[in-house]
Amino acid sequence: MKLTYFGVDNIPMVEPGDDLVDLISEALAGMGESLQENDVVVIAQKIISKAEDRYLDLRTVEPGEEAIRLAEEVDKDPRKVQAILDESNDVVRARPGVLIVEQKGGFVQANAGIDQSNIMQGDGDPDELCLLLPVDSDASAEKIRQLIAQRHNVNVGVIINDSLGRAWRMGTLGLAIGVAGFTALEDYIGGYDIYGRELQVTQVGAADEMAAGASLVMGQTTEKTPVVIVRGYLPAEPDDEALRGVKPLIRPRDMDMFR
Amino acid sequence: MKLTYFGVDNIPMVEPGDDLVDLISEALAGMGESLQENDVVVIAQKIISKAEDRYLDLRTVEPGEEAIRLAEEVDKDPRKVQAILDESNDVVRARPGVLIVEQKGGFVQANAGIDQSNIMQGDGDPDELCLLLPVDSDASAEKIRQLIAQRHNVNVGVIINDSLGRAWRMGTLGLAIGVAGFTALEDYIGGYDIYGRELQVTQVGAADEMAAGASLVMGQTTEKTPVVIVRGYLPAEPDDEALRGVKPLIRPRDMDMFR
């Protein structure tokens, strides 16, 4: 099996309302490339959020009591803490300089994925500007998948990825926060090993493995490659609708020993 | 940037004492391929352990008091629990069916990475046989890197990967447990974003992102592809010896909020 990851060059700066499918198709055409059947299109969360105008001006945020208290504890701007709380289900860890939450989509991550780097909007002060995660990353991914099918007549998978910190290990890892068109969690329950023994470890975070591989190609210091095409492997879409999207990758809270 | 991951076909069953560099080179030759300058060779932990004869026959293990008590708590074979403890620095979580430890190499993982699937040795009873992680995965990786340099006159990176469970997310992820020849943790401290703002999130687990991407190609149900070549990107080897190998990816215990 051979998998190729290639960055889509020359995606322009994304502005609210931009049609990402058009931007990606045009950039691919500029490379002499086009989307092919069974490609997976990995898109950085940041340009999805920009296209969906998920900017938040901190000057419009009024921190409440909990945010003010928590901001002192974690030594952050109370307005930003309020924004984080607004985007979260739960606070997982709060320490000076660190605020790890369960973001509304179920992702355990620092600052609810709210980002202040590589953003600039109109004549706004970049220090006052935040970018929130998409409202529903699975829906964003599915919309892009459908637009690609309609316009280009190819069936692709879509991953929206983001760089997340993690327990036990240093360094962020690109992980899937939105998935469309294929199985995010591959399930080998009932599978057998090469000696016919029933497999013990049975679930593989396939979309995360792909998102991580793509993240390496995206790089981190510039925003020049926010889209990566993965060519060579598209796991089938699950029949069961409940198993679609990124949700199967989220460990239910009551099954999580590390909250 | 373009990265290609391809599985090395037809690696034979690995036996203790096998020369993996020879096996890989021969299998590549059979594909009309060879190692190229700046490739990264990703090798599944399991065949490293097999080549290094890290088999353990549980019938030789005498469980001690702690293992017997813990085995009851986690509902596992006391001999296997003793083997896990022998391979560990610390127990991180113990629940019925679950024993998560800090393996001697610093990896937080279930059962200290001890595996019972896809192994068979001589005429032994596979139910009594375990396979331990390599004693020093970095040293194993470095030895392979040097042999490749000597025999094939190419500079490559080497990753030994394993499938690890994780906090917060379902499904295992292929991660690096041994690294040689390049920077496992890419450091952007002092870097700037496209608007000249200093970057906040600054460390990327590059070797883990590559290990994850390779793990997808390896697949899980068979052992047919325990070696994957990553072609297109080799981050430089750090000058500082302390930054080499997998260690920079291990979060020091006192910086870990999730133990």
Side-chain angles (χ1 to χ4, degrees):
Chain A
M1 180 175 146
K2 182 172 162 175
L3 259 189
T4 302
Y5 293 70
F6 65 92
V8 180
D9 301 331
N10 298 316
I11 300 265
M13 291 291 154
V14 173
E15 302 290 340
D18 276 354
D19 184 320
L20 290 179
V21 174
D22 274 355
L23 295 184
I24 293 168
S25 310
E26 283 160 22
L28 279 169
M31 300 170 69
E33 270 288 355
S34 62
L35 290 169
Q36 293 183 8
E37 186 77 9
N38 294 338
D39 281 350
V40 178
V41 184
V42 186
I43 308 175
Q45 163 267 323
K46 192 167 289 187
I47 68 166
I48 301 279
S49 290
K50 286 180 175 182
E52 294 181 356
D53 198 6
R54 293 284 288 156
Y55 288 102
L56 175 71
D57 188 325
L58 287 176
R59 287 165 297 196
T60 67
V61 177
E62 186 69 54
E65 233 173 84
E66 190 192 352
I68 291 169
R69 184 194 56 73
L70 196 54
E72 197 149 325
E73 192 181 337
V74 300
D75 191 24
K76 285 179 189 279
D77 182 333
R79 302 168 308 165
K80 186 161 180 195
V81 171
Q82 183 64 57
I84 294 167
L85 291 176
D86 291 344
E87 285 291 302
S88 304
N89 297 327
D90 202 11
V91 174
V92 175
R93 289 288 186 283
R95 301 273 190 285
V98 179
L99 184 52
I100 298 174
V101 300
E102 181 188 301
Q103 196 269 353
K104 279 182 175 172
F107 317 117
V108 175
Q109 67 182 139
N111 305 323
I114 297 177
D115 204 347
Q116 290 194 276
S117 64
N118 284 319
I119 62 172
M120 172 94 61
Q121 168 69 342
D123 55 1
D125 179 348
D127 287 323
E128 301 286 4
L129 212 56
C130 288
L131 193 63
L132 312 180
L133 292 197
V135 174
D136 179 344
S137 298
D138 276 344
S140 303
E142 177 62 20
K143 190 179 145 200
I144 286 170
R145 192 189 71 79
Q146 287 184 10
L147 281 176
I148 289 171
Q150 284 164 24
R151 293 183 196 166
H152 301 284
N153 200 30
V154 287
N155 177 49
V156 300
V158 175
I159 293 174
I160 299 172
N161 75 346
D162 194 7
S163 292
L164 277 77
R166 54 220 176 117
W168 319 325
R169 309 273 283 192
M170 301 295 288
T172 60
L173 205 64
L175 295 178
I177 65 164
V179 173
F182 71 101
T183 299
L185 184 71
E186 296 197 350
D187 205 324
Y188 295 111
I189 286 171
Y192 293 88
D193 76 7
I194 50 174
Y195 298 104
R197 286 168 54 97
E198 216 168 316
L199 282 175
Q200 303 286 315
V201 173
T202 46
Q203 293 190 309
V204 176
D208 277 340
E209 292 189 331
M210 207 179 269
S215 187
L216 191 67
V217 176
M218 290 183 175
Q220 291 287 324
T221 46
T222 69
E223 208 186 10
K224 281 180 190 147
T225 315
V227 181
V228 166
I229 308 298
V230 187
R231 187 160 290 167
Y233 180 58
L234 182 70
E237 171 95 304
D239 293 330
D240 183 350
E241 228 167 284
L243 298 179
R244 295 183 186 176
V246 76
K247 292 289 173 297
L249 289 175
I250 309 293
R251 189 179 290 273
R253 206 180 303 194
D254 60 359
M255 288 175 62
D256 196 339
M257 294 176 288
F258 298 98
R259 291 296 183 95
Chain B
M1 179 176 147
K2 182 171 162 176
L3 260 189
T4 302
Y5 292 70
F6 65 93
V8 180
D9 300 332
N10 299 317
I11 300 266
M13 290 293 155
V14 173
E15 302 291 340
D18 276 354
D19 183 321
L20 291 179
V21 174
D22 274 355
L23 295 184
I24 293 168
S25 309
E26 283 160 23
L28 279 169
M31 300 169 70
E33 270 288 354
S34 62
L35 290 169
Q36 294 183 7
E37 185 76 10
N38 294 337
D39 282 349
V40 178
V41 183
V42 186
I43 308 175
Q45 163 267 322
K46 191 166 290 185
I47 67 166
I48 300 280
S49 291
K50 286 181 175 181
E52 295 181 356
D53 198 5
R54 293 285 287 154
Y55 288 102
L56 175 71
D57 188 325
L58 287 176
R59 287 166 296 196
T60 67
V61 177
E62 186 69 53
E65 232 173 84
E66 190 193 351
I68 291 169
R69 185 194 56 73
L70 196 55
E72 197 149 324
E73 192 180 337
V74 300
D75 191 26
K76 286 180 189 280
D77 183 334
R79 302 168 307 165
K80 185 161 181 194
V81 171
Q82 183 63 56
I84 294 167
L85 291 177
D86 290 344
E87 286 291 301
S88 304
N89 297 327
D90 202 12
V91 173
V92 175
R93 289 288 186 283
R95 302 271 191 285
V98 179
L99 183 53
I100 299 173
V101 299
E102 182 189 303
Q103 196 269 353
K104 279 182 175 173
F107 316 118
V108 175
Q109 66 183 140
N111 305 324
I114 296 177
D115 204 348
Q116 291 194 277
S117 64
N118 283 320
I119 62 172
M120 173 95 59
Q121 169 68 344
D123 55 1
D125 180 347
D127 287 323
E128 300 286 3
L129 212 55
C130 287
L131 193 63
L132 313 180
L133 293 197
V135 173
D136 179 344
S137 298
D138 277 343
S140 304
E142 176 62 20
K143 190 179 146 201
I144 287 171
R145 191 189 72 77
Q146 288 183 11
L147 281 176
I148 289 172
Q150 284 163 23
R151 294 184 195 167
H152 301 284
N153 201 28
V154 287
N155 177 49
V156 301
V158 175
I159 293 174
I160 298 171
N161 76 344
D162 194 8
S163 292
L164 278 76
R166 52 219 175 120
W168 319 324
R169 310 272 283 193
M170 300 295 288
T172 60
L173 204 65
L175 295 178
I177 65 164
V179 174
F182 70 101
T183 298
L185 184 70
E186 297 198 348
D187 205 323
Y188 295 110
I189 286 172
Y192 293 88
D193 76 5
I194 50 174
Y195 299 106
R197 286 169 54 97
E198 216 170 315
L199 283 175
Q200 303 286 317
V201 174
T202 47
Q203 293 190 309
V204 176
D208 278 339
E209 292 189 331
M210 208 179 270
S215 186
L216 191 68
V217 175
M218 288 184 177
Q220 291 287 326
T221 46
T222 71
E223 209 187 8
K224 280 180 192 150
T225 316
V227 181
V228 166
I229 309 298
V230 187
R231 186 160 290 166
Y233 180 58
L234 182 71
E237 171 96 304
D239 292 330
D240 183 352
E241 229 169 281
L243 298 178
R244 295 183 186 177
V246 76
K247 292 288 172 298
L249 289 175
I250 310 294
R251 190 179 290 273
R253 207 182 301 195
D254 60 359
M255 288 174 62
D256 196 340
M257 295 175 288
F258 298 98
R259 291 294 183 97

